[in-house]
């Protein structure tokens, strides 16, 4: 099938890891019955500098014409780009898997968890203001958003190990997290076959280090999910390996968990795997939403290619390796091109 994909190359290490990801997509086209029409979208700090706006209406309209979006990290304009896109396209689920990789130092073997983060509200609605000498932020938690994220988490748990942990701080945030927990509890009662537990966010932060294997699906609010997913990424090897998906009812956007990493930009040392695995998540989503088995096969091949690169010590500097961004990208692309179906 043919898919129109919008591509935001982003800032910092964005363009370097985007190139590897596009090469991966092209190698899949040669292998399977998949065709991509790529639409480059200017957004982020560079767009702000060039056009005076980080995400223009024109860019948004162009994204709307596509089936899905692939996005590299943007720099300081993240709030105007990704947070806005999540809200505008109602991408209410943020999936952030953390799974052990072969040969990568991890806190334990066989860790396999999935953070299901609410993606449209909480403090990230950006409702902040100043009154005199005070700065105030409003935290919005709604029944609708909490219920739909809980439903998503329980449904996806059925495809995994049937275990959901709700993470919150309802002892302090009595109204907001109280409502979140109330909604999750209702969905838990409808899914009595799924093992359900709840945990305060501080205890969760500790247990992710103490016993990461305890977790299967974690469902949580926006900011806690943001913070815990960086921690979970480090537990299994680091941000350079952590992909994510932002999913709505009709559209989805795929991006690495990490930021633009200005400290290593332009040096050809960034790890492209987080973004390549985000392409894998896109292939899974395209496969499921379009009933396209070739996309599912593509996702499996990407996973194998990444694992093979790590097994063969094709590793970036932050993982203790010596391979450059482009060398890792080329290795993974060649693996896919030479893959025997
Ligand atoms: P943001 O708030 O935008 O998510 P951040 O503050 O979490 O950004 P990052 O840009 O993600 O910061 O970088 C955090 C650290 O991780 C930096 O030292 C950066 O170099 C490193 N890092 C991030 N992504 C990668 C990558 N793909 N490969 C190697 N190192 C990375």
């Amino acid at each position: 099938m043919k898919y129109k994909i919008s591509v935001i190359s982003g800032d910092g290490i964005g363009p370097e890891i985007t190139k590897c990801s596009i090469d991966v997509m092209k190698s899949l086209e040669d292998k399977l019955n998949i065709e991509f029409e790529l639409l480059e979208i200017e957004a982020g700090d560079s767009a702000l500098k060039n056009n005076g706006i980080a995400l223009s209406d024109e860019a948004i309209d162009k994204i709307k014409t596509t089936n899905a979006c692939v996005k590299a990290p943007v720099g300081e304009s993240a709030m105007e780009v990704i947070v806005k896109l999540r809200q505008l396209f109602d991408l209410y689920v943020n999936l952030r898997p953390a799974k052990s990789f072969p040969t990568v130092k991890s806190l334990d073997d066989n860790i396999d968890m999935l953070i299901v983060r609410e993606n449209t509200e909480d403090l990230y609605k950006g409702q902040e203001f100043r009154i005199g000498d005070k700065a105030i932020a409003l935290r919005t938690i709604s029944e609708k958003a909490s219920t739909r994220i809980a439903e998503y988490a329980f449904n996806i748990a059925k495809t995994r190990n049937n275990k959901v942990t709700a993470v919150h701080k309802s002892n302090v945030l009595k109204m907001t997290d109280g409502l979140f927990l109330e909604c999750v509890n209702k969905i838990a009662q409808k899914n009595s076959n799924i093992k359900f537990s709840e945990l305060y966010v501080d205890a969760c932060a500790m247990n992710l280090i103490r016993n990461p294997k305890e977790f299967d699906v974690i469902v949580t609010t926006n900011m806690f999910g943001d913070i815990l997913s960086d921690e979970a990424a480090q537990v299994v090897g680091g941000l350079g390996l952590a992909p994510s998906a932002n999913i709505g009812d009709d559209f989805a956007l795929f991006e690495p968990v990490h930021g633009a990493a200005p400290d290593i930009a332009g040096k050809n040392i960034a790890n492209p795997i987080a973004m390549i695995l985000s392409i894998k998540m896109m292939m899974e989503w395209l496969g499921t939403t379009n009933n396209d088995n070739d996309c599912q096969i593509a996702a499996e091949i990407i996973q194998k290619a990444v694992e093979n690169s790590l097994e063969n010590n094709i590793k970036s500097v932050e993982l203790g390796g010596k391979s450059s961004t482009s060398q890792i990208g080329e290795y993974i692309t060649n693996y896919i091109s030479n893959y025997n179906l």
Side-chain angles (χ1 to χ4, degrees), residues 13 17 73-75 78 226 230 239-241 256-264 269-274 316 318:
I13 59 172
I17 59 173
V74 297
D226 190 7
D230 267 35
L239 278 175
L241 298 166
V257 168
H258 61 74
D263 52 333
I264 56 167
I269 58 169
N271 191 346
I273 288 181
S316 54
E318 105 281 10

Side-chain angles (χ1 to χ4, degrees), residues 3 23 32 53 100 102 149 180 190 226 232 234 301 307 328:
Y3 299 102
D23 289 346
L32 295 153
I53 183 159
S100 312
I149 199 69
F180 172 74
K190 288 185 191 161
D226 190 7
Q234 190 55 50
I301 301 176
E307 287 178 5
I328 298 168

